Amino acid sequence: MALDFVAGCIGGAAGVLVGHPFDTVKMRGLYKGIGSPMMGLTFINAIVFGVQGNAMRMLGVDTPVHQFLAGAAAGLIQCVICCPMELAKTRMQMQGTGEKSASRRMYRNSLDCLIRIHRKEGVRGINRGMVTTVIRETPGFGVYFLTYDTLTRALGCDADDGYIIPKLLLAGGMSGMASWISTYPVDVIKSRLQADGVGGANRYDGIMDCVRQSWRREGWRAFTRGLTSTLLRAFPVNATTFATVTLFLMYMREDDEGVKDCEAMRPSLQHSSL
């Protein structure tokens, strides 16, 4: 069981190394400030792949429906970490906007941000946007693992296939893109709710009010704004994450029951030694 969690840690770290430059706009270096996302996303991926792998073992049979359900369960559980982490990221990015001076920095780092929010708003404050996070992550991770399962089966990649790495990268990248496409409008609403009230009065009364106001002001484009850049980032990040996880598990389990193909070595599959 521990292998799934360890694989998630390694895959998450690899994904951060690939994706962080896409998030960096400062000229001081592509990997400046990588420490916080490295710790957070590594831990989240450990939860995701660990829960998904163990859920598949509990479900017993490897089917597309079970892949979706196991992924959805993983997405749901990691919301406990994901929601506060994304709230801190949003608030850090919003510093100096609105009514507050652009030169003033309220938060030193993500942890300081969450501590200050907790002091001011309590537990409810640091979990702002939790409902929309659950709505996004639960089906999103279901689609994530279902797509990867479907593509690895369709590509028929064998462990001794010279093209196994490109195939895994393609399957992982497309899985990340499919997941984002399926839930992106919810992510827009979540981000707006988490940023609401920074530097001024609250604009939205809740999820539906945010949806109505966004639609009234911007139309359908409000729910796809930034999608292209998100997908461009999603492909390399998730390609790296999934390929790293699968290859790590393949290496660690290569003597297990003589398994030889990557379909049988997918992160979710059962092995008698686990």
Side-chain angles (χ1 to χ4, degrees):
M1 295 182 185
L3 278 181
D4 293 312
F5 290 96
V6 174
C9 281
I10 297 173
V16 171
L17 288 173
V18 171
H20 190 70
F22 288 87
D23 293 331
T24 304
V25 295
K26 295 181 180 179
M27 297 298 292
R28 294 182 181 179
L30 291 177
Y31 292 97
K32 181 177 178 60
I34 196 173
S36 180
M38 177 69 77
M39 290 186 292
L41 293 177
T42 296
F43 186 48
I44 284 178
N45 275 278
I47 295 174
V48 167
F49 284 94
V51 171
Q52 198 269 350
N54 283 283
M56 283 301 297
R57 275 183 284 276
M58 292 177 62
L59 291 170
V61 181
D62 186 2
T63 66
V65 173
H66 285 173
Q67 288 283 348
F68 180 88
L69 292 176
L76 175 63
I77 292 175
Q78 61 90 44
C79 287
V80 177
I81 304 299
C82 175
C83 180
M85 191 178 81
E86 291 191 352
L87 173 65
K89 179 181 178 180
T90 299
R91 293 295 178 89
M92 292 284 289
Q93 292 173 337
M94 294 294 292
Q95 287 191 104
T97 63
E99 297 174 0
K100 298 190 180 298
S101 171
S103 63
R104 180 183 176 187
R105 292 183 61 85
M106 293 180 61
Y107 314 118
R108 294 190 301 272
N109 50 51
S110 296
L111 180 59
D112 179 59
C113 177
L114 291 175
I115 291 174
R116 289 173 179 267
I117 293 174
H118 183 268
R119 287 175 180 169
K120 183 178 179 180
E121 305 176 48
V123 175
R124 184 174 182 178
I126 62 174
N127 286 291
R128 180 187 293 271
M130 179 63 78
V131 174
T132 46
T133 301
V134 169
I135 295 173
R136 182 194 69 181
E137 300 290 82
T138 303
F141 273 97
V143 171
Y144 188 55
F145 283 97
L146 173 61
T147 303
Y148 187 71
D149 174 74
T150 301
L151 289 176
T152 51
R153 291 178 188 274
L155 291 171
C157 41
D158 299 320
D160 56 357
D161 186 348
Y163 297 101
I164 183 173
I165 293 179
K167 288 180 179 180
L168 292 177
L169 290 171
L170 175 62
M174 294 302 295
S175 300
M177 293 178 70
S179 177
W180 272 111
I181 290 172
S182 68
T183 60
Y184 192 77
V186 181
D187 180 70
V188 171
I189 299 302
K190 178 202 72 68
S191 297
R192 294 188 177 195
L193 289 173
Q194 289 186 328
D196 192 32
V198 176
N202 289 330
R203 173 182 293 178
Y204 308 115
D205 292 330
I207 296 174
M208 293 311 300
D209 183 56
C210 182
V211 172
R212 283 192 295 267
Q213 289 195 43
S214 298
W215 178 270
R216 188 180 306 122
R217 291 195 309 269
E218 306 169 58
W220 63 269
R221 294 182 183 277
F223 306 103
T224 59
R225 190 179 302 278
L227 177 59
T228 300
S229 59
T230 297
L231 295 180
L232 289 175
R233 179 187 181 279
F235 188 92
V237 169
N238 291 286
T240 303
T241 299
F242 252 128
T244 301
V245 170
T246 303
L247 291 172
F248 173 80
L249 292 176
M250 186 179 297
Y251 175 79
M252 297 300 294
R253 296 168 172 170
E254 62 182 351
D255 296 326
D256 243 12
E257 302 175 1
V259 178
K260 295 297 182 183
D261 58 67
C262 72
E263 177 181 323
M265 300 307 292
R266 285 191 308 276
S268 59
L269 202 68
Q270 301 181 71
H271 291 270
S272 59
S273 65
L274 299 181

